[in-house]
Amino acid sequence: MRTRLSLLALSLLAAPFAQADGYRAAPALPQYVQECSTCHIAYPLGALPNASWQRLLRTLPRHFGSDASVDPATLKAISTWVDAHPQTWKRVGEAPPEDRITRSAWFERKHREVAPATWKLAAVRSPSNCAACHPRAEEGDFDEHRVRIPR
Ligand code: HEC
Ligand code: HEC
């Protein structure tokens, strides 16, 4: 009886974590969403290893040609939250070049079928523009069944 109960308890406990294997994001820290979704979507934490996030946070004044700096208290809050969520999506490994999600090996593999011309469409412009093809990217949902490629 005891074994059964603990198995049940385990499966209940495991349920929320199982989702981490789908391409979804847990609700993000409000300060993160506020500061990091003005120029692009607030990218899902699971898409990069912790080392990449921390490096990006340390270099915000020189952020891909933009100044994305935030005040020190906000920076600390975001950094603490990032450290508290070290899980990545299952194929995310080493820090990619420039700490870009879009230069990760898994990203290139998952997007192999996207035609070169598609990335250049006015409605896409950049692979970093996830929401162009993932309509629920803002909510952290990248499920392949919801992909819509603009024409
Ligand atoms: C002032 C505008 C601005 C703000 C604010 C900003 N970013 Fe960016 N970010 C950019 C630009 C520009 C790029 C490059 C996009 C491209 O190449 O199309 C970028 C790219 C990125 C990328 C790489 C995307 C890829 O290509 O894989 C990550 C990750 C990222 N930003 C994280 C953050 C985080 C975290 C914050 C909040 C602390 C933030 N950004 C705030 C402008 C901004
Ligand atoms: C030009 C359109 C386009 C853009 C922009 C784009 N994707 Fe995708 N994405 C796709 C397509 C197409 C697939 C493959 C769907 C399939 O396999 O059926 C895909 C698949 C994925 C998958 C795998 C989903 C699964 O269920 O296996 C993830 C994760 C993902 N994209 C994340 C991103 C992220 C993060 C960004 C932005 C940094 C992004 N994508 C930008 C078109 C795009």
Side-chain angles (χ1 to χ4, degrees):
M1 190 60 198
R2 181 172 291 174
T3 326
R4 267 203 211 164
L5 261 182
S6 53
L7 273 179
L8 176 66
L10 268 180
S11 60
L12 286 175
L13 271 174
F17 294 105
Q19 254 209 347
D21 265 350
Y23 293 99
R24 298 192 182 229
L29 184 78
Q31 284 115 307
Y32 173 76
V33 177
Q34 192 176 328
E35 300 292 342
C36 306
S37 70
T38 49
C39 305
H40 46 66
I41 64 154
Y43 293 117
L45 275 200
L48 283 175
N50 187 273
S52 289
W53 289 116
Q54 293 301 352
R55 193 159 34 233
L56 287 162
L57 291 176
R58 280 196 304 271
T59 54
L60 288 177
R62 303 173 309 283
H63 180 76
F64 302 100
S66 298
D67 179 357
S69 40
V70 302
D71 68 79
T74 306
L75 184 62
K76 181 132 199 289
I78 296 175
S79 163
T80 303
W81 171 72
V82 166
D83 272 343
H85 296 83
Q87 301 102 319
T88 59
W89 288 340
K90 61 186 165 196
R91 291 189 176 75
V92 175
E94 312 250 296
E98 294 185 284
D99 297 310
R100 276 188 185 261
I101 298 166
T102 52
R103 295 202 51 197
S104 313
W106 67 267
F107 185 95
E108 288 171 0
R109 232 176 3 252
K110 285 280 179 188
H111 295 86
R112 222 172 0 215
E113 286 167 26
V114 178
T118 303
W119 297 117
K120 302 202 178 90
L121 292 173
V124 180
R125 292 184 328 274
S126 160
S128 318
N129 187 13
C130 319
C133 311
H134 296 275
R136 295 175 63 182
E138 304 255 13
E139 295 129 76
D141 181 353
F142 291 88
D143 192 288
E144 62 187 346
H145 299 108
R146 280 183 276 277
V147 170
R148 294 281 173 277
I149 302 204
R151 307 163 191 232

